[in-house]
Every structure is written in C-alpha cells, then in structure tokens.
Coordinates of all heavy atoms in Angstrom, one line a residue:
Q1 N 10.5 24.4 -192.1 CA 11.2 23.6 -193.1 C 10.4 22.3 -193.4 O 9.8 21.7 -192.5 CB 12.6 23.3 -192.7 CG 13.5 24.5 -192.3 CD 14.8 24.0 -191.8 OE1 15.6 23.4 -192.6 NE2 15.2 24.3 -190.6
P2 N 10.5 21.8 -194.6 CA 9.8 20.5 -194.9 C 10.6 19.3 -194.3 O 11.7 19.4 -193.9 CB 9.8 20.5 -196.4 CG 11.0 21.3 -196.8 CD 11.2 22.3 -195.8
E3 N 10.0 18.1 -194.4 CA 10.6 16.9 -194.1 C 11.2 16.8 -192.7 O 12.3 16.4 -192.4 CB 11.7 16.5 -195.1 CG 11.1 16.5 -196.6 CD 12.1 16.0 -197.6 OE1 12.6 14.9 -197.5 OE2 12.5 16.8 -198.4
W4 N 10.4 17.2 -191.7 CA 10.8 17.2 -190.3 C 11.2 15.8 -189.8 O 12.2 15.7 -189.1 CB 9.7 17.8 -189.4 CG 10.1 17.9 -188.0 CD1 10.8 19.0 -187.4 CD2 9.9 16.9 -186.9 NE1 11.0 18.7 -186.0 CE2 10.5 17.4 -185.8 CE3 9.3 15.7 -186.9 CZ2 10.4 16.8 -184.5 CZ3 9.2 15.0 -185.7 CH2 9.8 15.5 -184.5
L5 N 10.4 14.8 -190.1 CA 10.6 13.5 -189.5 C 11.9 12.9 -190.2 O 12.6 12.2 -189.5 CB 9.4 12.6 -189.8 CG 9.5 11.2 -189.1 CD1 9.6 11.4 -187.6 CD2 8.3 10.4 -189.4
T6 N 12.2 13.2 -191.4 CA 13.4 12.7 -192.0 C 14.6 13.3 -191.3 O 15.6 12.6 -191.1 CB 13.4 13.0 -193.5 OG1 12.3 12.4 -194.1 CG2 14.7 12.5 -194.2
R7 N 14.5 14.6 -191.0 CA 15.6 15.2 -190.3 C 15.8 14.6 -188.9 O 16.9 14.4 -188.4 CB 15.4 16.7 -190.2 CG 15.6 17.4 -191.6 CD 15.4 18.9 -191.6 NE 14.0 19.3 -191.6 CZ 13.4 20.0 -190.7 NH1 14.0 20.4 -189.6 NH2 12.1 20.4 -190.9
R8 N 14.6 14.3 -188.3 CA 14.6 13.7 -186.9 C 15.2 12.3 -187.0 O 16.0 11.9 -186.1 CB 13.2 13.6 -186.4 CG 13.0 12.8 -185.1 CD 13.4 13.6 -183.9 NE 13.2 12.8 -182.7 CZ 14.0 12.7 -181.7 NH1 15.2 13.3 -181.7 NH2 13.7 12.0 -180.6
L9 N 14.9 11.5 -188.1 CA 15.4 10.2 -188.2 C 16.9 10.2 -188.3 O 17.6 9.3 -187.8 CB 14.8 9.6 -189.5 CG 15.1 8.1 -189.8 CD1 14.3 7.2 -188.9 CD2 14.9 7.8 -191.2
A10 N 17.5 11.2 -189.0 CA 18.9 11.3 -189.2 C 19.7 11.6 -187.9 O 20.8 11.2 -187.8 CB 19.2 12.4 -190.2
E11 N 19.0 12.2 -186.9 CA 19.7 12.7 -185.7 C 19.4 11.7 -184.5 O 20.3 11.6 -183.7 CB 19.2 14.1 -185.3 CG 19.5 15.1 -186.4 CD 18.8 16.4 -186.1 OE1 18.0 16.5 -185.2 OE2 19.1 17.4 -186.9
A12 N 18.2 11.1 -184.5 CA 17.9 10.3 -183.3 C 18.6 9.0 -183.3 O 19.0 8.4 -184.3 CB 16.4 10.1 -183.3
P13 N 18.8 8.4 -182.1 CA 19.3 7.0 -182.0 C 18.5 6.1 -182.8 O 17.2 6.2 -182.9 CB 19.3 6.7 -180.5 CG 19.3 8.0 -179.8 CD 18.5 9.0 -180.8
R14 N 19.1 5.1 -183.5 CA 18.3 4.2 -184.3 C 17.4 3.4 -183.5 O 17.8 2.7 -182.5 CB 19.3 3.3 -185.1 CG 18.5 2.4 -186.1 CD 19.5 1.7 -187.1 NE 20.5 0.9 -186.5 CZ 20.3 -0.4 -186.2 NH1 19.1 -1.0 -186.5 NH2 21.2 -1.1 -185.6
A15 N 16.1 3.3 -183.8 CA 15.1 2.6 -183.1 C 15.0 1.2 -183.8 O 15.1 1.0 -185.0 CB 13.7 3.3 -183.2
P16 N 14.7 0.1 -183.0 CA 14.7 -1.2 -183.5 C 13.4 -1.6 -184.1 O 12.7 -2.5 -183.6 CB 15.0 -2.1 -182.2 CG 14.3 -1.3 -181.1 CD 14.5 0.2 -181.5
F17 N 13.0 -1.0 -185.2 CA 11.8 -1.4 -185.9 C 12.1 -1.6 -187.4 O 13.0 -0.9 -188.0 CB 10.6 -0.4 -185.7 CG 10.8 1.0 -186.3 CD1 10.5 1.2 -187.7 CD2 11.3 2.0 -185.6 CE1 10.7 2.5 -188.2 CE2 11.5 3.3 -186.1 CZ 11.2 3.5 -187.4
S18 N 11.4 -2.5 -188.1 CA 11.5 -2.7 -189.5 C 10.4 -1.9 -190.2 O 9.3 -1.6 -189.6 CB 11.3 -4.1 -189.9 OG 12.4 -4.9 -189.2
L19 N 10.6 -1.5 -191.5 CA 9.7 -0.6 -192.1 C 9.4 -1.1 -193.5 O 10.3 -1.5 -194.3 CB 10.3 0.8 -192.2 CG 9.5 1.9 -193.0 CD1 8.3 2.2 -192.2 CD2 10.4 3.1 -193.2
Y20 N 8.1 -1.2 -193.8 CA 7.6 -1.3 -195.2 C 7.2 0.0 -195.7 O 6.3 0.6 -195.0 CB 6.5 -2.4 -195.4 CG 5.8 -2.3 -196.7 CD1 6.3 -3.1 -197.8 CD2 4.7 -1.5 -196.9 CE1 5.7 -3.0 -199.0 CE2 4.1 -1.5 -198.2 CZ 4.6 -2.2 -199.2 OH 4.0 -2.1 -200.4
Q21 N 7.8 0.6 -196.7 CA 7.5 1.9 -197.2 C 7.0 1.9 -198.6 O 7.8 1.5 -199.5 CB 8.7 2.8 -197.0 CG 8.5 4.3 -197.4 CD 9.8 5.1 -197.5 OE1 10.8 4.6 -197.2 NE2 9.7 6.3 -198.0
Q22 N 5.8 2.3 -198.9 CA 5.3 2.4 -200.2 C 5.0 3.8 -200.6 O 4.6 4.7 -199.8 CB 4.0 1.6 -200.3 CG 3.3 1.6 -201.7 CD 2.3 2.8 -201.9 OE1 1.9 3.4 -201.0 NE2 2.0 3.0 -203.2
I23 N 5.2 4.1 -201.9 CA 4.9 5.4 -202.5 C 4.5 5.2 -204.0 O 5.0 4.3 -204.6 CB 6.0 6.4 -202.3 CG1 5.6 7.8 -202.7 CG2 7.2 6.0 -203.1 CD1 4.5 8.5 -201.9
G24 N 3.7 6.1 -204.5 CA 3.3 6.0 -205.9 C 4.1 6.9 -206.8 O 4.4 8.0 -206.4
S25 N 4.5 6.4 -207.9 CA 5.3 7.2 -208.8 C 4.5 8.4 -209.4 O 5.0 9.4 -209.9 CB 5.8 6.3 -210.0 OG 4.8 5.7 -210.7
W26 N 3.1 8.3 -209.3 CA 2.3 9.4 -209.8 C 2.2 10.5 -208.7 O 1.5 11.5 -208.9 CB 0.9 8.9 -210.2 CG 0.9 8.3 -211.5 CD1 1.0 6.9 -211.8 CD2 0.9 8.9 -212.8 NE1 1.1 6.7 -213.1 CE2 1.0 7.9 -213.8 CE3 0.8 10.2 -213.2 CZ2 1.0 8.2 -215.2 CZ3 0.8 10.5 -214.6 CH2 0.9 9.5 -215.5
E27 N 2.8 10.3 -207.6 CA 2.8 11.3 -206.5 C 4.0 12.3 -206.6 O 4.5 12.6 -205.6 CB 2.7 10.6 -205.1 CG 1.5 9.7 -205.0 CD 1.4 9.1 -203.6 OE1 1.1 9.9 -202.7 OE2 1.6 7.9 -203.5
D28 N 4.3 12.6 -207.8 CA 5.6 13.4 -208.0 C 5.3 14.9 -208.1 O 6.2 15.6 -208.5 CB 6.3 12.9 -209.3 CG 5.4 13.0 -210.5 OD1 4.2 13.2 -210.4 OD2 5.9 12.9 -211.6
R29 N 4.2 15.4 -207.7 CA 4.0 16.8 -207.6 C 3.8 17.2 -206.2 O 3.5 16.4 -205.3 CB 2.7 17.2 -208.4 CG 1.4 16.7 -207.8 CD 0.2 17.2 -208.6 NE -1.0 16.7 -208.1 CZ -1.7 17.2 -207.0 NH1 -1.1 18.2 -206.4 NH2 -2.8 16.7 -206.6
P30 N 4.1 18.5 -205.9 CA 3.9 19.0 -204.5 C 2.5 18.9 -204.1 O 1.5 19.1 -204.9 CB 4.3 20.5 -204.6 CG 5.2 20.5 -205.8 CD 4.7 19.5 -206.7
F31 N 2.2 18.6 -202.8 CA 0.9 18.6 -202.2 C 0.4 20.0 -202.1 O 1.2 20.9 -201.8 CB 0.9 17.9 -200.9 CG 0.4 16.4 -200.9 CD1 0.7 15.6 -202.0 CD2 -0.3 15.9 -199.9 CE1 0.2 14.4 -202.1 CE2 -0.8 14.6 -200.0 CZ -0.5 13.8 -201.0
D32 N -0.9 20.2 -202.2 CA -1.4 21.5 -202.0 C -1.1 22.1 -200.6 O -1.0 23.3 -200.4 CB -2.9 21.5 -202.2 CG -3.2 21.0 -203.6 OD1 -2.6 21.6 -204.6 OD2 -4.1 20.2 -203.8
L33 N -1.0 21.1 -199.6 CA -0.8 21.5 -198.2 C 0.7 21.7 -197.9 O 1.0 22.0 -196.8 CB -1.5 20.5 -197.3 CG -3.0 20.4 -197.5 CD1 -3.5 19.3 -196.5 CD2 -3.7 21.7 -197.3
S34 N 1.5 21.4 -198.8 CA 3.0 21.5 -198.6 C 3.6 22.0 -199.9 O 4.3 21.3 -200.6 CB 3.6 20.2 -198.2 OG 5.0 20.4 -197.8
P35 N 3.5 23.3 -200.2 CA 3.9 23.9 -201.5 C 5.4 23.6 -201.7 O 6.2 23.8 -200.8 CB 3.6 25.4 -201.4 CG 2.5 25.4 -200.4 CD 2.8 24.3 -199.4
G36 N 5.8 23.2 -202.9 CA 7.2 23.1 -203.3 C 7.8 21.7 -202.9 O 9.0 21.5 -203.2
V37 N 7.1 20.8 -202.2 CA 7.7 19.6 -201.8 C 7.0 18.4 -202.5 O 5.8 18.2 -202.4 CB 7.5 19.4 -200.3 CG1 8.2 18.1 -199.8 CG2 8.1 20.6 -199.5
S38 N 7.7 17.7 -203.3 CA 7.2 16.5 -204.0 C 7.0 15.3 -203.0 O 7.9 15.0 -202.3 CB 8.1 16.1 -205.1 OG 7.8 14.7 -205.5
H39 N 5.8 14.8 -203.0 CA 5.5 13.6 -202.1 C 6.4 12.5 -202.4 O 7.0 11.8 -201.5 CB 4.1 13.2 -202.3 CG 3.5 12.5 -201.2 ND1 3.3 13.0 -199.9 CD2 2.9 11.2 -201.2 CE1 2.8 12.1 -199.1 NE2 2.5 11.0 -199.9
L40 N 6.7 12.2 -203.7 CA 7.5 11.1 -204.1 C 9.0 11.4 -203.7 O 9.6 10.5 -203.2 CB 7.4 11.0 -205.7 CG 8.4 10.0 -206.3 CD1 8.1 8.6 -205.8 CD2 8.2 10.0 -207.8
V41 N 9.5 12.6 -204.0 CA 10.9 12.9 -203.6 C 11.1 12.8 -202.1 O 12.1 12.3 -201.6 CB 11.3 14.3 -204.2 CG1 12.6 14.7 -203.7 CG2 11.3 14.2 -205.7
A42 N 10.1 13.3 -201.3 CA 10.2 13.3 -199.9 C 10.3 11.8 -199.4 O 11.1 11.5 -198.5 CB 9.0 14.0 -199.2
N43 N 9.5 10.9 -200.0 CA 9.6 9.5 -199.6 C 11.0 8.9 -200.0 O 11.5 8.1 -199.3 CB 8.5 8.7 -200.3 CG 7.3 8.6 -199.3 OD1 7.1 7.6 -198.6 ND2 6.4 9.6 -199.3
R44 N 11.5 9.2 -201.2 CA 12.8 8.7 -201.6 C 13.9 9.2 -200.7 O 14.8 8.5 -200.3 CB 13.1 9.1 -203.0 CG 12.2 8.4 -204.1 CD 12.5 9.0 -205.5 NE 11.8 8.2 -206.5 CZ 11.7 8.6 -207.8 NH1 12.3 9.8 -208.2 NH2 11.0 7.9 -208.7
H45 N 13.7 10.5 -200.2 CA 14.7 11.0 -199.3 C 14.7 10.3 -198.0 O 15.7 9.9 -197.4 CB 14.5 12.5 -199.1 CG 15.5 13.2 -198.3 ND1 15.3 14.4 -197.6 CD2 16.8 12.8 -198.1 CE1 16.4 14.7 -197.0 NE2 17.3 13.8 -197.2
F46 N 13.4 10.1 -197.5 CA 13.3 9.3 -196.2 C 13.9 7.9 -196.3 O 14.6 7.5 -195.4 CB 11.8 9.2 -195.8 CG 11.6 8.6 -194.5 CD1 11.5 9.3 -193.3 CD2 11.5 7.2 -194.4 CE1 11.3 8.7 -192.1 CE2 11.3 6.6 -193.2 CZ 11.2 7.3 -192.0
R47 N 13.6 7.2 -197.4 CA 14.2 5.9 -197.7 C 15.7 5.9 -197.6 O 16.3 5.1 -196.9 CB 13.8 5.4 -199.1 CG 14.4 4.2 -199.6 CD 14.4 4.1 -201.1 NE 15.1 5.2 -201.7 CZ 15.1 5.4 -203.0 NH1 14.3 4.7 -203.8 NH2 15.8 6.4 -203.5

C-alpha cells in the first residue's frame, strides 16, 4: 500500500519534533517508481 509513513504517523505516539514540509505544485503526477500516487497529494495527506 502507498503512504506507509503517513499511516505510521497516524498510529504512533506523537513525537516531540517540529516539521518544515515543502512540496512543489508541479509534482502533481504519480512518480514512475510509485504508480498511481501523486507526490503532491501524498504530501498534502501527510500534512
């Protein structure tokens, strides 16, 4: 399944770190190495 770390983040105890998260709006197509998953959408979901 895609987005393993996002699923892990949802389940694990909250860790005490702050996050700066950047993504490009032109990254809105699936990566060749992860068919069917938009890089942009995956980042928005993680956010």
Side-chain angles (χ1 to χ4, degrees):
Q1 301 180 63
E3 302 184 63
W4 181 86
L5 189 59
T6 302
R7 290 181 277 123
R8 172 77 176 136
L9 186 78
E11 299 169 354
R14 184 165 64 86
F17 66 86
S18 299
L19 177 69
Y20 168 87
Q21 181 191 356
Q22 180 272 344
I23 188 65
S25 59
W26 283 97
E27 301 184 68
D28 60 345
R29 64 174 179 84
F31 260 36
D32 301 311
L33 303 178
S34 186
V37 183
S38 162
H39 202 60
L40 174 61
V41 171
N43 266 265
R44 288 174 175 172
H45 186 203
F46 184 92
R47 171 203 62 191

